[in-house]
Amino acid sequence: MTVKSRREEYAALTRAALVESAADLFTEKGFDVTSVDDIAGAARVSKGAVYHHFQDKRAIFDQVFRISQQEVLAQVDEALAVSDETDRSPWQVAATAVQSFLSSYVADARKRSLLRQSAGVLGVRRCREIDDELALPLVLGLLDQLAERDELQPVSRDMAATMIFGTLCEAATTLAFAEDHETAGRDATLVAGYMLAGLVKEAS
C-alpha cells in the first residue's frame, strides 16, 4: 500500500474542492458565465492553483462531467447488484439498467444541467469518448448475458451496444431539456423498453 505524502494529500484535496465548486457553479450559473476566478474563489484557492491542476475551464468541465457520468453508472451498478440477488433474467436486468440510468437524471437537477451543457462545452466527439469508455462495457456485458442464454437476436453486439447507449443518451438529453422531466423520464423508459425488446429472441 502506497502512503501519500502530505503534499500529495493536499493536492488531492485541492483538486477535489475545485471540481466540487466548479460543479456547483456550472449548475447554478452555467459554463459560459462561470469564470476561473469564480471557481478559485468558491474553492478558496488561488487562481494559480486552478491552473496547476487544470489546463483551462473546459478541462475542469470535462472532469466534472466525467464524474457525473460515473455517478450515474454507479447507480446503475447498484441497481444491477440488487437484481442479481433476486435471480432475475438477463432481459429483466437490462430493463432495470435502463430504468436506473434514466431515473438518475430525473432525480438529480445537477446531472440534468451538466448533460444539457456537455455537448456545447466539450463537443459531441468528446462526450462520446467519455460515454464509450465508461458505459459501453456495461452494455456489452448485458448483451453477452443475453447471448449466452441464446436470448439475443443474431446481431453485432458491438453495433447493438453502441446504438442502445446512443438511444439512452438521446433519451436522457431529451428529458434533461424537458420542462416536465419526470413525465419525459417515464415516457423515455417506456419507449426504450419497447425498442430494446426487439433484440430479444422469441422462445422457440
Side-chain angles (χ1 to χ4, degrees):
M1 178 177 174
T2 303
V3 178
K4 290 185 178 180
S5 68
R6 188 168 295 180
R7 176 175 293 182
E8 289 173 328
E9 289 179 352
Y10 178 76
L13 289 171
T14 299
R15 184 181 179 89
L18 287 168
V19 170
E20 183 64 22
S21 297
D24 287 339
L25 290 167
F26 292 151
T27 300
E28 295 168 6
K29 300 174 60 175
F31 176 83
D32 291 335
V33 176
T34 300
S35 68
V36 171
D37 285 325
D38 292 334
I39 296 170
R44 298 183 180 181
V45 300
S46 67
K47 190 173 180 178
V50 178
Y51 287 114
H52 175 75
H53 290 279
F54 297 98
Q55 181 178 355
D56 52 25
K57 188 173 66 166
R58 181 178 179 275
I60 303 174
F61 188 94
D62 188 293
Q63 182 66 11
V64 167
F65 181 64
R66 182 184 181 85
I67 290 172
S68 178
Q69 295 299 86
Q70 287 175 325
E71 290 173 349
V72 170
L73 295 173
Q75 291 179 33
V76 174
D77 281 337
E78 184 176 342
L80 294 182
V82 173
S83 293
D84 288 342
E85 295 174 0
T86 59
D87 193 31
R88 305 179 81 182
S89 72
W91 177 244
Q92 290 173 318
V93 171
T96 296
V98 169
Q99 182 175 13
S100 177
F101 178 80
L102 295 174
S103 294
S104 64
Y105 292 104
V106 172
D108 195 319
R110 174 188 283 190
K111 288 180 174 57
R112 293 197 303 274
S113 177
L114 294 173
L115 184 61
R116 288 194 297 269
Q117 298 177 70
S118 60
V121 176
L122 301 177
V124 174
R125 182 181 294 274
R126 176 56 184 158
C127 290
R128 181 168 179 175
E129 288 173 353
I130 293 172
D131 288 336
D132 285 354
E133 177 189 348
L134 299 178
L136 277 186
L138 175 62
V139 180
L140 282 168
L142 293 172
L143 291 176
D144 285 341
Q145 290 183 45
L146 287 170
E148 288 169 4
R149 293 168 60 108
D150 195 30
E151 295 178 6
L152 182 68
Q153 296 283 8
V155 297
S156 164
R157 272 171 277 178
D158 287 341
M159 179 60 73
T162 298
M163 293 183 68
I164 288 169
F165 194 67
T167 298
L168 292 179
C169 286
E170 182 61 29
T173 302
T174 299
L175 77 83
F177 277 101
E179 291 186 12
D180 185 349
H181 54 271
E182 293 185 357
T183 297
R186 289 193 295 270
D187 290 344
T189 300
L190 182 63
V191 172
Y194 282 125
M195 293 177 67
L196 296 177
L199 290 172
V200 180
K201 185 187 297 184
E202 294 183 5
S204 56

mmCIF file with all atom_site columns, all heavy atoms in Angstrom, residues 26-44:
data_model
loop_
_atom_site.group_PDB
_atom_site.id
_atom_site.type_symbol
_atom_site.label_atom_id
_atom_site.label_alt_id
_atom_site.label_comp_id
_atom_site.label_asym_id
_atom_site.label_entity_id
_atom_site.label_seq_id
_atom_site.pdbx_PDB_ins_code
_atom_site.Cartn_x
_atom_site.Cartn_y
_atom_site.Cartn_z
_atom_site.occupancy
_atom_site.B_iso_or_equiv
_atom_site.pdbx_formal_charge
_atom_site.auth_seq_id
_atom_site.auth_comp_id
_atom_site.auth_asym_id
_atom_site.auth_atom_id
_atom_site.pdbx_PDB_model_num
ATOM 1   N N   . PHE A 1 26 ? -21.181 25.585 -12.355 1.00 0.00 ? 26 PHE A N   1
ATOM 2   C CA  . PHE A 1 26 ? -21.646 25.246 -13.708 1.00 0.00 ? 26 PHE A CA  1
ATOM 3   C C   . PHE A 1 26 ? -23.140 24.948 -13.684 1.00 0.00 ? 26 PHE A C   1
ATOM 4   O O   . PHE A 1 26 ? -23.866 25.255 -14.640 1.00 0.00 ? 26 PHE A O   1
ATOM 5   C CB  . PHE A 1 26 ? -20.883 24.035 -14.254 1.00 0.00 ? 26 PHE A CB  1
ATOM 6   C CG  . PHE A 1 26 ? -19.435 24.284 -14.545 1.00 0.00 ? 26 PHE A CG  1
ATOM 7   C CD1 . PHE A 1 26 ? -18.508 23.247 -14.467 1.00 0.00 ? 26 PHE A CD1 1
ATOM 8   C CD2 . PHE A 1 26 ? -18.980 25.544 -14.909 1.00 0.00 ? 26 PHE A CD2 1
ATOM 9   C CE1 . PHE A 1 26 ? -17.174 23.468 -14.746 1.00 0.00 ? 26 PHE A CE1 1
ATOM 10  C CE2 . PHE A 1 26 ? -17.631 25.774 -15.192 1.00 0.00 ? 26 PHE A CE2 1
ATOM 11  C CZ  . PHE A 1 26 ? -16.722 24.730 -15.095 1.00 0.00 ? 26 PHE A CZ  1
ATOM 12  N N   . THR A 1 27 ? -23.605 24.341 -12.583 1.00 0.00 ? 27 THR A N   1
ATOM 13  C CA  . THR A 1 27 ? -25.020 24.009 -12.462 1.00 0.00 ? 27 THR A CA  1
ATOM 14  C C   . THR A 1 27 ? -25.858 25.258 -12.217 1.00 0.00 ? 27 THR A C   1
ATOM 15  O O   . THR A 1 27 ? -26.917 25.437 -12.834 1.00 0.00 ? 27 THR A O   1
ATOM 16  C CB  . THR A 1 27 ? -25.231 23.012 -11.310 1.00 0.00 ? 27 THR A CB  1
ATOM 17  O OG1 . THR A 1 27 ? -24.485 21.819 -11.567 1.00 0.00 ? 27 THR A OG1 1
ATOM 18  C CG2 . THR A 1 27 ? -26.707 22.656 -11.166 1.00 0.00 ? 27 THR A CG2 1
ATOM 19  N N   . GLU A 1 28 ? -25.393 26.125 -11.328 1.00 0.00 ? 28 GLU A N   1
ATOM 20  C CA  . GLU A 1 28 ? -26.172 27.299 -10.938 1.00 0.00 ? 28 GLU A CA  1
ATOM 21  C C   . GLU A 1 28 ? -26.090 28.435 -11.947 1.00 0.00 ? 28 GLU A C   1
ATOM 22  O O   . GLU A 1 28 ? -27.103 29.086 -12.236 1.00 0.00 ? 28 GLU A O   1
ATOM 23  C CB  . GLU A 1 28 ? -25.673 27.795 -9.582  1.00 0.00 ? 28 GLU A CB  1
ATOM 24  C CG  . GLU A 1 28 ? -25.908 26.804 -8.446  1.00 0.00 ? 28 GLU A CG  1
ATOM 25  C CD  . GLU A 1 28 ? -25.142 27.185 -7.185  1.00 0.00 ? 28 GLU A CD  1
ATOM 26  O OE1 . GLU A 1 28 ? -24.535 28.280 -7.175  1.00 0.00 ? 28 GLU A OE1 1
ATOM 27  O OE2 . GLU A 1 28 ? -25.145 26.397 -6.231  1.00 0.00 ? 28 GLU A OE2 1
ATOM 28  N N   . LYS A 1 29 ? -24.903 28.682 -12.487 1.00 0.00 ? 29 LYS A N   1
ATOM 29  C CA  . LYS A 1 29 ? -24.687 29.836 -13.354 1.00 0.00 ? 29 LYS A CA  1
ATOM 30  C C   . LYS A 1 29 ? -24.513 29.464 -14.828 1.00 0.00 ? 29 LYS A C   1
ATOM 31  O O   . LYS A 1 29 ? -24.792 30.277 -15.714 1.00 0.00 ? 29 LYS A O   1
ATOM 32  C CB  . LYS A 1 29 ? -23.439 30.615 -12.894 1.00 0.00 ? 29 LYS A CB  1
ATOM 33  C CG  . LYS A 1 29 ? -23.521 31.154 -11.484 1.00 0.00 ? 29 LYS A CG  1
ATOM 34  C CD  . LYS A 1 29 ? -22.207 31.784 -11.037 1.00 0.00 ? 29 LYS A CD  1
ATOM 35  C CE  . LYS A 1 29 ? -21.790 32.944 -11.927 1.00 0.00 ? 29 LYS A CE  1
ATOM 36  N NZ  . LYS A 1 29 ? -20.563 33.625 -11.401 1.00 0.00 ? 29 LYS A NZ  1
ATOM 37  N N   . GLY A 1 30 ? -24.019 28.263 -15.079 1.00 0.00 ? 30 GLY A N   1
ATOM 38  C CA  . GLY A 1 30 ? -23.715 27.851 -16.439 1.00 0.00 ? 30 GLY A CA  1
ATOM 39  C C   . GLY A 1 30 ? -22.233 27.993 -16.725 1.00 0.00 ? 30 GLY A C   1
ATOM 40  O O   . GLY A 1 30 ? -21.527 28.803 -16.116 1.00 0.00 ? 30 GLY A O   1
ATOM 41  N N   . PHE A 1 31 ? -21.755 27.215 -17.666 1.00 0.00 ? 31 PHE A N   1
ATOM 42  C CA  . PHE A 1 31 ? -20.328 27.200 -18.008 1.00 0.00 ? 31 PHE A CA  1
ATOM 43  C C   . PHE A 1 31 ? -19.854 28.558 -18.516 1.00 0.00 ? 31 PHE A C   1
ATOM 44  O O   . PHE A 1 31 ? -18.809 29.065 -18.105 1.00 0.00 ? 31 PHE A O   1
ATOM 45  C CB  . PHE A 1 31 ? -20.061 26.125 -19.059 1.00 0.00 ? 31 PHE A CB  1
ATOM 46  C CG  . PHE A 1 31 ? -18.633 26.088 -19.544 1.00 0.00 ? 31 PHE A CG  1
ATOM 47  C CD1 . PHE A 1 31 ? -17.658 25.411 -18.824 1.00 0.00 ? 31 PHE A CD1 1
ATOM 48  C CD2 . PHE A 1 31 ? -18.268 26.730 -20.724 1.00 0.00 ? 31 PHE A CD2 1
ATOM 49  C CE1 . PHE A 1 31 ? -16.337 25.387 -19.267 1.00 0.00 ? 31 PHE A CE1 1
ATOM 50  C CE2 . PHE A 1 31 ? -16.959 26.711 -21.175 1.00 0.00 ? 31 PHE A CE2 1
ATOM 51  C CZ  . PHE A 1 31 ? -15.995 26.033 -20.443 1.00 0.00 ? 31 PHE A CZ  1
ATOM 52  N N   . ASP A 1 32 ? -20.624 29.155 -19.420 1.00 0.00 ? 32 ASP A N   1
ATOM 53  C CA  . ASP A 1 32 ? -20.176 30.398 -20.070 1.00 0.00 ? 32 ASP A CA  1
ATOM 54  C C   . ASP A 1 32 ? -20.036 31.539 -19.073 1.00 0.00 ? 32 ASP A C   1
ATOM 55  O O   . ASP A 1 32 ? -19.102 32.348 -19.176 1.00 0.00 ? 32 ASP A O   1
ATOM 56  C CB  . ASP A 1 32 ? -21.143 30.790 -21.184 1.00 0.00 ? 32 ASP A CB  1
ATOM 57  C CG  . ASP A 1 32 ? -21.104 29.826 -22.367 1.00 0.00 ? 32 ASP A CG  1
ATOM 58  O OD1 . ASP A 1 32 ? -20.052 29.176 -22.551 1.00 0.00 ? 32 ASP A OD1 1
ATOM 59  O OD2 . ASP A 1 32 ? -22.112 29.714 -23.079 1.00 0.00 ? 32 ASP A OD2 1
ATOM 60  N N   . VAL A 1 33 ? -20.936 31.618 -18.120 1.00 0.00 ? 33 VAL A N   1
ATOM 61  C CA  . VAL A 1 33 ? -20.931 32.724 -17.169 1.00 0.00 ? 33 VAL A CA  1
ATOM 62  C C   . VAL A 1 33 ? -19.889 32.513 -16.072 1.00 0.00 ? 33 VAL A C   1
ATOM 63  O O   . VAL A 1 33 ? -19.319 33.465 -15.539 1.00 0.00 ? 33 VAL A O   1
ATOM 64  C CB  . VAL A 1 33 ? -22.332 32.908 -16.558 1.00 0.00 ? 33 VAL A CB  1
ATOM 65  C CG1 . VAL A 1 33 ? -22.322 34.000 -15.488 1.00 0.00 ? 33 VAL A CG1 1
ATOM 66  C CG2 . VAL A 1 33 ? -23.345 33.247 -17.647 1.00 0.00 ? 33 VAL A CG2 1
ATOM 67  N N   . THR A 1 34 ? -19.624 31.272 -15.727 1.00 0.00 ? 34 THR A N   1
ATOM 68  C CA  . THR A 1 34 ? -18.661 30.967 -14.663 1.00 0.00 ? 34 THR A CA  1
ATOM 69  C C   . THR A 1 34 ? -17.241 31.254 -15.128 1.00 0.00 ? 34 THR A C   1
ATOM 70  O O   . THR A 1 34 ? -16.828 30.840 -16.209 1.00 0.00 ? 34 THR A O   1
ATOM 71  C CB  . THR A 1 34 ? -18.765 29.487 -14.252 1.00 0.00 ? 34 THR A CB  1
ATOM 72  O OG1 . THR A 1 34 ? -20.080 29.225 -13.772 1.00 0.00 ? 34 THR A OG1 1
ATOM 73  C CG2 . THR A 1 34 ? -17.760 29.146 -13.170 1.00 0.00 ? 34 THR A CG2 1
ATOM 74  N N   . SER A 1 35 ? -16.479 31.944 -14.303 1.00 0.00 ? 35 SER A N   1
ATOM 75  C CA  . SER A 1 35 ? -15.078 32.247 -14.621 1.00 0.00 ? 35 SER A CA  1
ATOM 76  C C   . SER A 1 35 ? -14.144 31.397 -13.773 1.00 0.00 ? 35 SER A C   1
ATOM 77  O O   . SER A 1 35 ? -14.546 30.823 -12.748 1.00 0.00 ? 35 SER A O   1
ATOM 78  C CB  . SER A 1 35 ? -14.784 33.725 -14.369 1.00 0.00 ? 35 SER A CB  1
ATOM 79  O OG  . SER A 1 35 ? -14.840 34.007 -12.982 1.00 0.00 ? 35 SER A OG  1
ATOM 80  N N   . VAL A 1 36 ? -12.894 31.341 -14.184 1.00 0.00 ? 36 VAL A N   1
ATOM 81  C CA  . VAL A 1 36 ? -11.882 30.639 -13.393 1.00 0.00 ? 36 VAL A CA  1
ATOM 82  C C   . VAL A 1 36 ? -11.736 31.313 -12.032 1.00 0.00 ? 36 VAL A C   1
ATOM 83  O O   . VAL A 1 36 ? -11.556 30.650 -11.008 1.00 0.00 ? 36 VAL A O   1
ATOM 84  C CB  . VAL A 1 36 ? -10.537 30.607 -14.137 1.00 0.00 ? 36 VAL A CB  1
ATOM 85  C CG1 . VAL A 1 36 ? -9.417  30.076 -13.233 1.00 0.00 ? 36 VAL A CG1 1
ATOM 86  C CG2 . VAL A 1 36 ? -10.637 29.750 -15.396 1.00 0.00 ? 36 VAL A CG2 1
ATOM 87  N N   . ASP A 1 37 ? -11.841 32.632 -12.000 1.00 0.00 ? 37 ASP A N   1
ATOM 88  C CA  . ASP A 1 37 ? -11.799 33.357 -10.724 1.00 0.00 ? 37 ASP A CA  1
ATOM 89  C C   . ASP A 1 37 ? -12.936 32.920 -9.815  1.00 0.00 ? 37 ASP A C   1
ATOM 90  O O   . ASP A 1 37 ? -12.756 32.784 -8.592  1.00 0.00 ? 37 ASP A O   1
ATOM 91  C CB  . ASP A 1 37 ? -11.891 34.868 -10.965 1.00 0.00 ? 37 ASP A CB  1
ATOM 92  C CG  . ASP A 1 37 ? -10.596 35.448 -11.494 1.00 0.00 ? 37 ASP A CG  1
ATOM 93  O OD1 . ASP A 1 37 ? -9.525  34.959 -11.092 1.00 0.00 ? 37 ASP A OD1 1
ATOM 94  O OD2 . ASP A 1 37 ? -10.656 36.387 -12.308 1.00 0.00 ? 37 ASP A OD2 1
ATOM 95  N N   . ASP A 1 38 ? -14.140 32.716 -10.385 1.00 0.00 ? 38 ASP A N   1
ATOM 96  C CA  . ASP A 1 38 ? -15.281 32.247 -9.597  1.00 0.00 ? 38 ASP A CA  1
ATOM 97  C C   . ASP A 1 38 ? -14.973 30.895 -8.956  1.00 0.00 ? 38 ASP A C   1
ATOM 98  O O   . ASP A 1 38 ? -15.265 30.663 -7.772  1.00 0.00 ? 38 ASP A O   1
ATOM 99  C CB  . ASP A 1 38 ? -16.526 32.101 -10.474 1.00 0.00 ? 38 ASP A CB  1
ATOM 100 C CG  . ASP A 1 38 ? -17.071 33.432 -10.965 1.00 0.00 ? 38 ASP A CG  1
ATOM 101 O OD1 . ASP A 1 38 ? -16.838 34.450 -10.292 1.00 0.00 ? 38 ASP A OD1 1
ATOM 102 O OD2 . ASP A 1 38 ? -17.725 33.441 -12.021 1.00 0.00 ? 38 ASP A OD2 1
ATOM 103 N N   . ILE A 1 39 ? -14.403 30.008 -9.754  1.00 0.00 ? 39 ILE A N   1
ATOM 104 C CA  . ILE A 1 39 ? -14.106 28.655 -9.270  1.00 0.00 ? 39 ILE A CA  1
ATOM 105 C C   . ILE A 1 39 ? -13.052 28.702 -8.176  1.00 0.00 ? 39 ILE A C   1
ATOM 106 O O   . ILE A 1 39 ? -13.180 28.053 -7.136  1.00 0.00 ? 39 ILE A O   1
ATOM 107 C CB  . ILE A 1 39 ? -13.647 27.760 -10.439 1.00 0.00 ? 39 ILE A CB  1
ATOM 108 C CG1 . ILE A 1 39 ? -14.783 27.593 -11.457 1.00 0.00 ? 39 ILE A CG1 1
ATOM 109 C CG2 . ILE A 1 39 ? -13.196 26.393 -9.931  1.00 0.00 ? 39 ILE A CG2 1
ATOM 110 C CD1 . ILE A 1 39 ? -14.365 26.924 -12.753 1.00 0.00 ? 39 ILE A CD1 1
ATOM 111 N N   . ALA A 1 40 ? -12.004 29.496 -8.405  1.00 0.00 ? 40 ALA A N   1
ATOM 112 C CA  . ALA A 1 40 ? -10.947 29.626 -7.401  1.00 0.00 ? 40 ALA A CA  1
ATOM 113 C C   . ALA A 1 40 ? -11.507 30.191 -6.097  1.00 0.00 ? 40 ALA A C   1
ATOM 114 O O   . ALA A 1 40 ? -11.190 29.702 -5.002  1.00 0.00 ? 40 ALA A O   1
ATOM 115 C CB  . ALA A 1 40 ? -9.831  30.518 -7.937  1.00 0.00 ? 40 ALA A CB  1
ATOM 116 N N   . GLY A 1 41 ? -12.360 31.201 -6.211  1.00 0.00 ? 41 GLY A N   1
ATOM 117 C CA  . GLY A 1 41 ? -12.933 31.814 -5.013  1.00 0.00 ? 41 GLY A CA  1
ATOM 118 C C   . GLY A 1 41 ? -13.813 30.861 -4.248  1.00 0.00 ? 41 GLY A C   1
ATOM 119 O O   . GLY A 1 41 ? -13.746 30.786 -3.018  1.00 0.00 ? 41 GLY A O   1
ATOM 120 N N   . ALA A 1 42 ? -14.634 30.113 -4.971  1.00 0.00 ? 42 ALA A N   1
ATOM 121 C CA  . ALA A 1 42 ? -15.532 29.167 -4.304  1.00 0.00 ? 42 ALA A CA  1
ATOM 122 C C   . ALA A 1 42 ? -14.765 28.045 -3.619  1.00 0.00 ? 42 ALA A C   1
ATOM 123 O O   . ALA A 1 42 ? -15.178 27.545 -2.570  1.00 0.00 ? 42 ALA A O   1
ATOM 124 C CB  . ALA A 1 42 ? -16.519 28.588 -5.319  1.00 0.00 ? 42 ALA A CB  1
ATOM 125 N N   . ALA A 1 43 ? -13.646 27.649 -4.226  1.00 0.00 ? 43 ALA A N   1
ATOM 126 C CA  . ALA A 1 43 ? -12.831 26.576 -3.653  1.00 0.00 ? 43 ALA A CA  1
ATOM 127 C C   . ALA A 1 43 ? -11.839 27.091 -2.617  1.00 0.00 ? 43 ALA A C   1
ATOM 128 O O   . ALA A 1 43 ? -11.135 26.297 -1.986  1.00 0.00 ? 43 ALA A O   1
ATOM 129 C CB  . ALA A 1 43 ? -12.076 25.848 -4.761  1.00 0.00 ? 43 ALA A CB  1
ATOM 130 N N   . ARG A 1 44 ? -11.757 28.438 -2.490  1.00 0.00 ? 44 ARG A N   1
ATOM 131 C CA  . ARG A 1 44 ? -10.848 29.075 -1.542  1.00 0.00 ? 44 ARG A CA  1
ATOM 132 C C   . ARG A 1 44 ? -9.391  28.746 -1.833  1.00 0.00 ? 44 ARG A C   1
ATOM 133 O O   . ARG A 1 44 ? -8.607  28.415 -0.923  1.00 0.00 ? 44 ARG A O   1
ATOM 134 C CB  . ARG A 1 44 ? -11.211 28.690 -0.099  1.00 0.00 ? 44 ARG A CB  1
ATOM 135 C CG  . ARG A 1 44 ? -12.600 29.144 0.308   1.00 0.00 ? 44 ARG A CG  1
ATOM 136 C CD  . ARG A 1 44 ? -12.902 28.821 1.746   1.00 0.00 ? 44 ARG A CD  1
ATOM 137 N NE  . ARG A 1 44 ? -14.237 29.268 2.132   1.00 0.00 ? 44 ARG A NE  1
ATOM 138 C CZ  . ARG A 1 44 ? -14.760 29.121 3.347   1.00 0.00 ? 44 ARG A CZ  1
ATOM 139 N NH1 . ARG A 1 44 ? -14.065 28.533 4.290   1.00 0.00 ? 44 ARG A NH1 1
ATOM 140 N NH2 . ARG A 1 44 ? -15.976 29.570 3.610   1.00 0.00 ? 44 ARG A NH2 1
#
